[in-house]
Amino acid sequence: NVLRGSDGMLKPVAIAAIPSLKSSGASAKFAVEIAKLTPQEQALMIEALESIGDAPARAEIRGQLAAGNTTVRLAAIKAMGKTGDASAVPALANTLAEAKMPEEQSALVESLTGLRGGDRTDKAIAAEIDKCSPQNKALFLTILANRNSGLAVPILLKETANPDPATAKVAFRALGRLA
């Protein structure tokens, strides 16, 4: 009831307490409430759902990657980086393709770099390299190198011959860091 009420001071406290609830299905119940909250409260709810980290929580967080509000989108991007794995790569890659703000792009690079899942995630990231724009290709090469992926070296070597000088430069720099 607190989430539906008008007490702006109590809502953040209630949202912060959500991860401590031991009710099965709590994240699904609270995910439904997210659309009724202010953008700041939505960002707090995303953090609470991130702490729970179950499938319904991750699904709601993934859905918020397309939120119209930048604060909400950034919270979702950061939460996906902490709770996601290889299955999160396509959604984060699509968000990166549409990102206009440098702050969002940086958050996406950080989230993609921090995803769990080891080789499966590295393969999913590598698959995005051939699908994306030249400017995003450079970002994906950086992400793969930052993950210290075993897949990075052959891909980076191939990209040193890329006709786009910026992409080739990123590939050379990344190889230098991995060497």
Side-chain angles (χ1 to χ4, degrees):
N1 289 336
V2 173
L3 294 179
R4 293 186 194 118
S6 60
D7 189 341
M9 299 285 281
L10 194 53
K11 277 186 190 180
V13 175
I15 293 169
I18 290 171
S20 66
L21 297 175
K22 301 299 177 206
S23 170
S24 65
S27 58
K29 291 173 190 168
F30 287 107
V32 172
E33 300 295 325
I34 203 164
K36 301 170 189 165
L37 302 172
T38 67
Q40 282 303 113
E41 293 164 347
Q42 288 176 0
L44 291 173
M45 181 66 81
I46 289 168
E47 290 175 17
L49 292 172
E50 169 196 321
S51 293
I52 296 170
D54 63 4
R58 288 190 310 271
E60 181 59 34
I61 292 167
R62 185 172 292 154
Q64 294 302 317
L65 290 172
N69 182 279
T70 304
T71 301
V72 175
R73 243 185 352 268
L74 283 170
I77 290 166
K78 291 173 183 174
M80 285 298 296
K82 294 176 184 171
T83 62
D85 56 15
S87 66
V89 172
L92 289 169
N94 288 338
T95 305
L96 182 60
E98 297 171 9
K100 304 286 186 262
M101 297 173 35
E103 185 180 9
E104 272 186 271
Q105 291 175 337
S106 294
L108 285 156
V109 167
E110 188 175 322
S111 287
L112 283 158
T113 300
L115 289 173
R116 297 174 286 129
D119 288 343
R120 285 187 60 231
T121 301
D122 293 343
K123 287 176 185 173
I125 291 169
E128 294 295 331
I129 291 172
D130 291 328
K131 300 178 193 175
C132 63
S133 67
Q135 49 279 43
N136 285 349
K137 182 176 277 200
L139 292 174
F140 277 108
L141 292 174
T142 301
I143 292 162
L144 207 54
N146 288 348
R147 288 179 60 83
N148 291 317
S149 169
L151 296 172
V153 173
I155 292 169
L156 292 169
L157 284 171
K158 174 185 161 207
E159 293 299 331
T160 60
N162 192 301
D164 176 46
T167 301
K169 183 177 179 179
V170 166
F172 275 115
R173 283 190 176 162
L175 280 169
R177 282 196 323 267
L178 290 174

